[in-house]
């Protein structure tokens, strides 16, 4: 099964959230943003997955879906895994598809009538599910030739739980 995975062009953080800028998802999320801006309540779900790219390359993906629509997948490559504990600590992820929100601020999210209509999605409690991801990684590590990378990912995920425990 082939699925398209969008890679963030930018990852940053605030005190409350991790910010992901993923312009490649603009088309996929435009209908969702429109529905949000019209005031519609939309139930969405998300999960963290371990995706095998080839024999020894893995990617962590954040899968987001809603109302029977296609799922969008945001990929975290090996060099982005360090942000997983940050997501657990910050708890929330803000998914943006428009660089202008970073470059210009709130003014970039205003429509012609002066209403704030950003192309952004807040994923609340995004750190939830990292425990399940850890289990998937541990299971895969038992059967994989590239278990060194998976062991590295397990260590990163373990650190996110320890760091979160120390914050409280």
């Amino acid at each position: 099964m082939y699925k398209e995975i969008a890679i963030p062009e930018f990852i940053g953080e605030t005190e409350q959230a991790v910010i992901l800028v993923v312009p490649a998802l603009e088309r996929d999320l435009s209908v969702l943003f429109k529905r949000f801006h019209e005031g519609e309540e939309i139930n969405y779900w998300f999960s963290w997955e371990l995706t095998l790219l080839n024999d020894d390359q893995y990617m962590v993906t954040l899968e987001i879906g809603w109302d029977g629509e296609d799922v969008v997948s945001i990929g975290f490559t090996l060099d982005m895994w360090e942000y997983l504990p940050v997501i657990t600590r910050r708890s929330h992820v803000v998914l943006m598809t428009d660089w202008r929100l970073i470059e210009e601020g709130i003014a970039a999210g205003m429509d012609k009538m002066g209403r704030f209509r950003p192309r952004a999605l807040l994923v609340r409690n995004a750190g939830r599910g990292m425990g399940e991801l850890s289990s998937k990684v541990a299971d895969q590590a038992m059967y994989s030739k590239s278990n060194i990378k998976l062991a590295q990912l397990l260590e990163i995920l373990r650190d996110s739980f320890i760091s979160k425990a120390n914050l409280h």
Side-chain angles (χ1 to χ4, degrees), residues 123-150:
V123 180
R124 298 179 188 276
N125 301 314
R128 186 185 67 213
M130 290 291 184
E132 241 179 83
L133 175 61
S134 294
S135 295
K136 292 173 189 175
V137 172
D139 289 346
Q140 186 65 36
M142 290 191 311
Y143 305 106
S144 173
K145 290 183 266 182
S146 62
N147 59 6
I148 293 171
K149 291 175 185 163
L150 294 174

Side-chain angles (χ1 to χ4, degrees), residues 16-17 86-93 123-128 164:
Q16 298 83 20
V86 180
I87 290 170
T88 301
R89 284 192 302 272
R90 297 295 183 255
S91 188
H92 307 303
V93 166
V123 180
R124 298 179 188 276
N125 301 314
R128 186 185 67 213
K164 186 169 181 142

Side-chain angles (χ1 to χ4, degrees), residues 2-112:
Y2 172 77
K3 67 178 175 181
E4 205 170 304
I5 300 172
I7 306 296
E9 290 184 9
F10 172 81
I11 302 175
E13 65 180 289
T14 68
E15 288 184 23
Q16 298 83 20
V18 171
I19 309 296
L20 304 177
V21 179
V22 190
L25 293 177
E26 175 67 33
R27 185 179 46 84
D28 296 317
L29 295 175
S30 62
V31 172
L32 180 67
F33 294 152
K34 184 175 189 252
R35 290 173 60 191
F36 274 136
H37 298 320
E38 290 172 352
E40 188 175 338
E41 289 285 326
I42 299 171
N43 292 321
Y44 66 90
W45 59 267
F46 69 90
S47 66
W48 291 96
E49 302 296 333
L50 180 65
T51 302
L52 179 62
L53 299 177
N54 57 40
D55 287 337
D56 65 343
Q57 297 294 318
Y58 289 92
M59 182 180 292
V60 171
T61 56
L62 173 59
E63 313 278 326
I64 303 172
W66 63 96
D67 294 346
E69 295 286 327
D70 287 338
V71 173
V72 296
S73 299
I74 301 154
F76 292 81
T77 58
L78 177 67
D79 60 330
M80 296 176 183
W81 288 354
E82 67 191 60
Y83 289 100
L84 298 174
V86 180
I87 290 170
T88 301
R89 284 192 302 272
R90 297 295 183 255
S91 188
H92 307 303
V93 166
V94 177
L95 172 58
M96 297 179 184
T97 60
D98 186 358
W99 268 106
R100 293 181 329 129
L101 285 171
I102 299 289
E103 296 166 345
E104 300 171 25
I106 291 176
M110 304 300 273
D111 70 5
K112 293 176 183 173

